[in-house]
Amino acid sequence: MRANTWAGRNKVEVRDVPDPKILNSRDAIVRITSTAICGSDLHLVDGYVPTMQDGDVMGHEFMGEVIEVGSRVPGDKLRVGDRVVVPFPIACGACAACAKELYSCCENTNPNAGIAEKMFGHPVAGIFGYSHLTGGFAGGQAQYARVPFADVGPLKIESDLTDEQVLFLSDILPTGYMGAEMCDIQPSDVVAVWGAGPVGQFAMDSARVLGAAKVIAIDKEPYRLRMAEQAGHIPVNFDEVDVRSRLLELTGGRGPDKCIDAVGLEATHGSAHIAAYDRVKQAVRSETERPHALRQAIMSCRSGGVVSVIGVYGGLLDKFPAGAWMNRSLTLRTGQCHVQRYMRPLLERIERGEIDPTRIITHRLPLDEAERGFELFKNKEDNCEKVVLKS
């Protein structure tokens, strides 16, 4: 089959790779009809997530048709011919974490748990196409994928919704929604979102759906800010204004009630010397993150507010404003998204027309042009916000 693979730092390559096979009686094989390039894929390509190997199949946002199921997958859960969206965390459904719906913390699905434990203190769940730190599972930027624990993860799509309407239930829509949900939004709240990429856009939409009075989008790319503004959110360009000062103006001097970091470890900063400081430290590996958005969210949030972190972080960061966090009674909430918890409720919101996931799609390419898709997305060429690949 054809698949998009990691080929070294700053390089991906579409190659012929072996077709997946059933390895466990709870597996399924899915013929992929749609997949996507995620912002967190860029962390792999840029070399900031360890344990990638040449030839690893990338991608964790995918959906398609079930073509084979293992002997222990119950027929009422999944059958050949079912159309499914596959969540990016692989969850067993039976451990203590899964019992609490903390699916991205599943205790049983990462065969390389020892590596993750050294990195994070405790192991994390297996993830499709996201390094051997999270299990080394082949990803979904391919024609076919093996789906472990297929009786737990995939969501059947039984309506006539298009792939593009439901594809993002695999990751970025639940991730954005969880970021807003962790804020405990009240009707009077002003919510500021750092990052107007795909996850940030969905965090903004989710904050609106959950009742925020005002949602502010913070980014530097004019096309992303226009997209957010067209959806009803207030744009702030950090290349043009001091973010904290502008947020104080927009909130009567108090700061946003809730702040969401939808950027993560490769953030940029409007001040050249501050941006250079963290870029150099990251380049020489004296820190693994550039936490500009996280620092700014903590310093900007009103006292007693909530900072929700859904941007990906992988290791260690410098100059974390612990004093502001502790002394101003801020609540910090975070986590890889527990996608399975949110898939069906969000599907119902899509069916009711409350959220339109298709609004962020700017580019559609065949799988064999995945390399071009990565170039567009990474370099923000042609106003690229989201690339969907068709296999």
Side-chain angles (χ1 to χ4, degrees), residues 191-238:
V191 179
V193 179
W194 274 257
V199 171
Q201 298 282 347
F202 286 150
M204 297 172 211
D205 291 352
S206 299
R208 182 198 67 236
V209 165
L210 291 173
K214 185 186 298 183
V215 180
I216 301 168
I218 302 163
D219 206 292
K220 70 169 184 173
E221 300 298 333
Y223 72 91
R224 288 180 162 188
L225 292 170
R226 283 195 302 270
M227 181 177 283
E229 189 172 25
Q230 288 165 2
H233 313 307
I234 301 168
V236 172
N237 188 324
F238 67 74

Side-chain angles (χ1 to χ4, degrees), residues 31-36 61-64 140 163-164 167 388-391:
R31 179 182 66 81
I32 296 168
T33 55
S34 295
T35 183
E61 299 177 358
F62 63 98
M63 65 174 296
D163 276 18
E164 292 183 356
L167 171 61
V388 172
L389 302 172
K390 301 286 186 177
S391 58

Side-chain angles (χ1 to χ4, degrees), residues 86-250:
V86 181
F88 80 81
I90 302 168
C92 73
C95 68
C98 288
K100 296 176 181 177
E101 295 190 314
L102 301 174
Y103 297 106
S104 69
C105 299
C106 178
E107 300 165 348
N108 291 326
T109 56
N110 186 349
N112 296 330
I115 302 175
E117 189 171 349
K118 289 178 182 177
M119 190 78 176
F120 302 133
H122 292 273
V124 294
I127 295 176
F128 290 103
Y130 213 76
S131 85
H132 294 264
L133 184 68
T134 59
F137 292 95
Q141 290 170 9
Q143 292 178 306
Y144 300 91
R146 179 178 75 93
V147 178
F149 297 96
D151 53 329
V152 176
L155 173 70
K156 286 194 285 189
I157 305 298
E158 298 175 296
S159 65
D160 59 356
L161 292 172
T162 66
D163 276 18
E164 292 183 356
Q165 287 177 290
V166 297
L167 171 61
F168 303 138
L169 289 169
S170 59
D171 174 8
I172 57 173
L173 179 54
T175 297
Y177 187 88
M178 182 171 129
E181 185 187 68
M182 288 191 295
C183 288
D184 290 336
I185 293 171
Q186 304 301 310
S188 61
D189 280 350
V190 176
V191 179
V193 179
W194 274 257
V199 171
Q201 298 282 347
F202 286 150
M204 297 172 211
D205 291 352
S206 299
R208 182 198 67 236
V209 165
L210 291 173
K214 185 186 298 183
V215 180
I216 301 168
I218 302 163
D219 206 292
K220 70 169 184 173
E221 300 298 333
Y223 72 91
R224 288 180 162 188
L225 292 170
R226 283 195 302 270
M227 181 177 283
E229 189 172 25
Q230 288 165 2
H233 313 307
I234 301 168
V236 172
N237 188 324
F238 67 74
D239 264 356
E240 298 176 354
V241 299
D242 177 75
V243 172
R244 183 175 174 276
S245 298
R246 180 62 178 141
L247 292 176
L248 290 173
E249 291 173 4
L250 291 169

Side-chain angles (χ1 to χ4, degrees), residues 251-287:
T251 58
R254 294 174 64 242
D257 301 282
K258 311 293 165 61
C259 295
I260 300 174
D261 171 6
V263 181
L265 65 88
E266 291 189 75
T268 57
H269 195 280
S271 171
H273 69 280
I274 295 176
Y277 170 85
D278 279 293
R279 185 170 287 279
V280 170
K281 291 201 71 173
Q282 191 183 50
V284 299
R285 297 302 189 264
S286 60
E287 66 174 344

